[in-house]
Amino acid sequence: MEIFQLQLMILPSLLTCFFSTLLLTQLMAAAGAEATVKVSTTPIFPEIPLGQARKDFQVLLRVEAPAAVVRPEARVPIDVVAVLDVSGSMNDPTAVPPERRTTTSRLDLLRTAAKFMVDKLEDGDRLSIVAFSDRPVRELSSGLLYMTADGRRNAIRSVDRLEARAGSGTALVPAFEEAVNILDERVGDGRDRLGFIILLTDGEGTTVSALSERRREVIRRALGRYPVHAFGLGAAHDPEVLLHMAQESHGTYSFVDDDSIGDVAGALAVCLGGLSTIAAVETRVVLKADELNGVRIDRVDAGGYDSSVSCGGTSCEVSVGNVLYAGEAKHFVVHLHVPAALPSSSAKGGYYCDGLGACDRYYHHRHEQHLLAVDYSYRNHPSARAIEGEGHDVYVRRSPAVLDGGRQAPAPVPSPVVLQHIVRSELLEVVAGVVQGELTINDRARAADVLQLRWEEFAACHQFWGGGHDLMSGLEKEVGGMVSSLRAGVAAYAYAWVSSHQMQRATSMGSAEKVTVEFLTPAMRLLLEEARKLPRWWNWNPPHTGCVDHGFEMIDRRLELWSKMKRDMQNLGSFQEQSAAAVDDEQQRMAAVFQEASLEAIDRAMHRDIYLAVVYASKQRQCRHLVAAQN
């Protein structure tokens, strides 16, 4: 009866959402043009004196994905294999309020996170579960399931069946190989789908150095095909092997500390927000130096991405990972050698020459020297034809050191944006050096001292760099957090920081609240907010007492519907911006009105459902108390 009354109350909301969705479809059709990847460059200096050579002239390369997937049908479907730890330690009580401690384990929280993943994957996606303890537990695992209504129910059943299995260790590597086999053995259109591995464990993994050469080679080949997004739960896990798997596969490593262990679903939400909004595949940028002008590419600071300089520095390719998420921007620092350029005494008709036979146009005592040509390519889908584009070429103005009248030309001012990325890139190199050096010998106290010393040296070298006090202050806090964590015997924070900055992608560094904010995409923020608002009864699974109320299942489905509709409505704003040129002001105003009304209606409906869930939870508590009294 209560549900029937609720349905009558929310009927106006459904109608509002229907008309809003209809208008959204019209706006999308009006947008017409396909969203594209954008590539841009910014030199460190807009101009340099004619007679000066620059042995290290930096150019910032920016690769930006579309803000949103304009057409839902163009979204890239994904296959996800969730590798879940069900070893005996997962049954240990978590650091939760005392009244929950006897009923809540890490496995309970892992189930909650896995159900959240089932809920948030799109209908065209597929999910497989691989459970492992001291061996892969096949009876608790599943094949790839399409996320249809039936597939979701089967996936939830698989999650509910998960139980802790005592064993003599944690078979992390065999479970990973099992996940790779599932993706390798796909047939039909499976080969055209992107595959990912999500790994959640609280155990001590096998270190890379302890693996046989054959097994290392198997892992190396597999990591080149499928990105691994690894999550370490609690302080006992070994972050070294998880970071290695993430780095080698262009995935990410995150961890949730013991104090925030209830935030596993939030940490997973950050990852899912990206995987559910893949906007480009196999993005590559090719830079060609102006060989005639004597320009040479020395290197590229690409973090965790692949880059190669060839032909004696005249060409360079940057591979921007397997995928770009909607709203992501990647930054790379390109280091050039730029020779001195002198105006030729025989320059006539407005040209200058650099002494090597190459000449560019001369403009009123200034000229623009050509440095780089920029080309790029990407795909919208793994099986789609590559889309090729040309970025704007990179030029730098060359001006006389002495102006007319004998006045000295003012010193050029460096770009603050380029400086900031140079500093971040250099700090990443410092921290990664400590992680790959001192931490590999497992002396965390020494690693903390070394990192503190390296930071002090770094800060002293950059005290006059002029890029802004706020950035250096923020970096000092981040390094201070890593040093404190290492001195407490926890290395995971430093590992997750390195993973996040190498991939320029958000990772949970202790909790979902601790992420690098500039790496969060709109979809990540949205899913993270949904994870934070999960009803409390969802997060804490009560023990089975026989007091089952099937109303919960219906409320789950309703909340899933509201979340999906709310996500669609919130995307309306970005669609309106992209299609502003194709619709008039009145249509845009009507779209904004519909969007606001729809979001309010959805919020009211969700609040009613959550209230009804609280009522059901109260009834279940009464039932459990009654059962306990009878026993």
Side-chain angles (χ1 to χ4, degrees):
M1 184 65 180
E2 290 173 332
I3 292 178
F4 176 73
Q5 293 173 341
L6 184 61
Q7 289 173 336
L8 290 178
M9 286 190 292
I10 62 174
L11 183 59
S13 304
L14 283 170
L15 292 175
T16 302
C17 291
F18 170 76
F19 286 114
S20 297
T21 304
L22 181 62
L23 181 59
L24 174 61
T25 303
Q26 293 173 342
L27 285 171
M28 288 164 54
E34 184 118 4
T36 59
V37 171
K38 297 178 181 178
V39 176
S40 59
T41 53
T42 306
I44 180 70
F45 294 109
E47 63 180 291
I48 52 179
L50 276 168
Q52 289 187 6
R54 292 297 173 106
K55 295 182 179 180
D56 189 11
F57 186 85
Q58 300 97 340
V59 175
L60 182 66
L61 172 66
R62 176 183 171 93
V63 181
E64 184 178 3
V69 181
V70 176
R71 296 184 294 109
E73 66 272 18
R75 179 189 166 274
V76 178
I78 60 175
D79 288 341
V80 177
V81 181
V83 182
L84 307 179
D85 187 349
V86 295
S87 59
S89 60
M90 291 292 289
N91 233 10
D92 294 343
T94 59
V96 298
E99 65 273 14
R100 307 273 185 188
R101 195 161 293 161
T102 58
T103 62
T104 303
S105 65
R106 290 195 184 102
L107 186 56
D108 292 325
L109 300 174
L110 183 143
R111 289 194 194 99
T112 296
K115 290 179 181 178
F116 183 78
M117 177 166 52
V118 172
D119 182 46
K120 297 309 172 188
L121 288 174
E122 298 291 338
D123 291 348
D125 299 333
R126 296 191 297 187
L127 173 68
S128 173
I129 293 173
V130 173
F132 72 96
S133 179
D134 59 344
R135 60 178 178 83
V137 187
R138 289 184 171 83
E139 60 269 26
L140 298 181
S141 303
S142 73
L144 283 168
L145 301 170
Y146 278 98
M147 291 294 96
T148 59
D150 288 341
R152 291 181 197 276
R153 280 193 291 271
N154 291 333
I156 291 294
R157 291 192 189 99
S158 294
V159 172
D160 285 335
R161 285 200 309 267
L162 295 177
E163 59 182 10
R165 299 288 182 91
S168 57
T170 303
L172 176 61
V173 175
F176 166 73
E177 291 178 323
E178 183 80 8
V180 170
N181 289 336
I182 290 174
L183 294 172
D184 279 348
E185 293 171 1
R186 292 175 295 173
V187 296
D189 66 345
R191 294 289 181 177
D192 294 331
R193 303 165 67 88
L194 295 173
F196 299 91
I197 296 174
I198 291 180
L199 169 63
L200 294 99
T201 179
D202 77 335
E204 296 183 1
T206 304
T207 60
V208 178
S209 58
L211 299 176
S212 68
E213 182 58 36
R214 184 196 66 80
R215 180 152 276 181
R216 274 202 299 260
E217 182 58 29
V218 169
I219 293 175
R220 202 157 32 238
R221 289 199 305 267
L223 290 174
R225 299 195 299 276
Y226 308 118
V228 177
H229 298 283
F231 295 81
L233 310 181
H237 77 278
D238 179 6
E240 181 185 358
V241 68
L242 298 185
L243 178 63
H244 171 75
M245 297 175 79
Q247 286 177 325
E248 291 296 316
S249 67
H250 298 107
T252 56
Y253 162 69
S254 300
F255 87 102
V256 180
D257 59 32
D258 289 318
D259 292 336
S260 306
I261 199 68
D263 199 21
V264 179
L268 190 58
V270 175
C271 175
L272 291 174
L275 295 182
S276 61
T277 56
I278 294 172
V281 179
E282 297 177 6
T283 304
R284 287 180 170 81
V285 179
V286 175
L287 306 175
K288 295 181 180 178
D290 195 322
E291 190 175 3
L292 293 178
N293 275 334
V295 180
R296 184 179 72 244
I297 303 172
D298 286 338
R299 72 180 194 278
V300 178
D301 295 334
Y305 296 96
D306 297 330
S307 66
S308 60
V309 178
S310 58
C311 301
T314 62
S315 180
C316 172
E317 180 175 308
V318 181
S319 177
V320 194
N322 283 11
V323 297
L324 280 175
Y325 302 153
E328 272 195 324
K330 308 293 184 183
H331 297 86
F332 309 97
V333 179
V334 183
H335 296 262
L336 304 178
H337 171 79
V338 180
L342 299 173
S344 171
S345 59
S346 61
K348 296 181 180 179
Y351 285 86
Y352 87 97
C353 300
D354 63 0
L356 298 176
C359 297
D360 283 339
R361 182 167 290 279
Y362 191 95
Y363 293 107
H364 304 292
H365 302 291
R366 294 185 180 187
H367 66 266
E368 291 197 338
Q369 183 179 9
H370 183 245
L371 302 181
L372 291 173
V374 182
D375 298 314
Y376 62 95
S377 65
Y378 65 96
R379 302 176 191 271
N380 288 325
H381 190 280
S383 60
R385 183 176 57 84
I387 299 173
E388 298 181 351
E390 294 184 3
H392 294 291
D393 285 12
V394 181
Y395 290 85
V396 64
R397 294 196 301 272
R398 305 301 296 258
S399 56
V402 179
L403 303 179
D404 293 340
R407 291 180 297 108
Q408 192 73 22
V413 178
S415 164
V417 173
V418 180
L419 281 175
Q420 289 174 11
H421 286 283
I422 291 173
V423 168
R424 284 189 173 277
S425 178
E426 291 178 353
L427 180 60
L428 171 60
E429 186 176 348
V430 169
V431 179
V434 174
V435 167
Q436 296 166 3
E438 278 71 16
L439 275 180
T440 57
I441 61 176
N442 206 27
D443 189 346
R444 294 173 183 178
R446 171 177 166 77
D449 293 339
V450 171
L451 180 56
Q452 181 63 44
L453 177 62
R454 298 273 173 82
W455 164 254
E456 291 172 357
E457 295 172 349
F458 182 88
C461 290
H462 293 81
Q463 60 181 324
F464 302 116
W465 71 286
H469 172 75
D470 290 343
L471 176 63
M472 291 299 291
S473 177
L475 293 178
E476 183 176 20
K477 290 180 181 177
E478 293 177 26
V479 174
M482 285 185 272
V483 170
S484 299
S485 179
L486 288 170
R487 286 180 175 155
V490 179
Y493 183 14
Y495 280 88
W497 189 95
V498 168
S499 177
S500 179
H501 286 77
Q502 281 182 337
M503 302 310 298
Q504 301 181 52
R505 190 160 276 171
T507 66
S508 295
M509 293 180 279
S511 76
E513 304 294 329
K514 298 176 183 177
V515 297
T516 304
V517 177
E518 56 262 39
F519 297 153
L520 283 174
T521 68
M524 290 177 185
R525 294 176 187 273
L526 179 60
L527 278 195
L528 182 56
E529 192 62 29
E530 290 189 31
R532 288 171 179 158
K533 293 180 179 179
L534 285 177
R536 197 166 183 79
W537 53 265
W538 182 319
N539 283 330
W540 308 108
N541 293 327
H544 180 70
T545 62
C547 302
V548 178
D549 190 329
H550 295 288
F552 277 116
E553 183 177 351
M554 182 172 291
I555 294 172
D556 277 344
R557 292 199 300 269
R558 300 176 69 81
L559 287 172
E560 178 184 350
L561 171 65
W562 298 136
S563 296
K564 183 174 178 58
M565 297 180 79
K566 186 174 182 179
R567 192 159 60 242
D568 291 341
M569 290 305 104
Q570 288 176 322
N571 285 336
L572 179 62
S574 62
F575 289 135
Q576 285 178 278
E577 292 176 3
Q578 295 176 21
S579 59
V583 296
D584 57 29
D585 292 341
E586 181 63 20
Q587 286 177 306
Q588 292 185 52
R589 188 184 67 81
M590 290 297 295
V593 170
F594 272 121
Q595 182 191 26
E596 183 178 357
S598 299
L599 289 174
E600 291 179 357
I602 292 172
D603 282 337
R604 287 197 300 270
M606 291 181 75
H607 291 158
R608 292 189 189 107
D609 279 356
I610 293 173
Y611 171 76
L612 188 56
V614 172
V615 173
Y616 283 151
S618 177
K619 291 180 179 180
Q620 282 199 330
R621 283 195 298 271
Q622 294 174 7
C623 176
R624 289 197 297 272
H625 290 325
L626 179 60
V627 170
Q630 291 174 347
N631 294 335

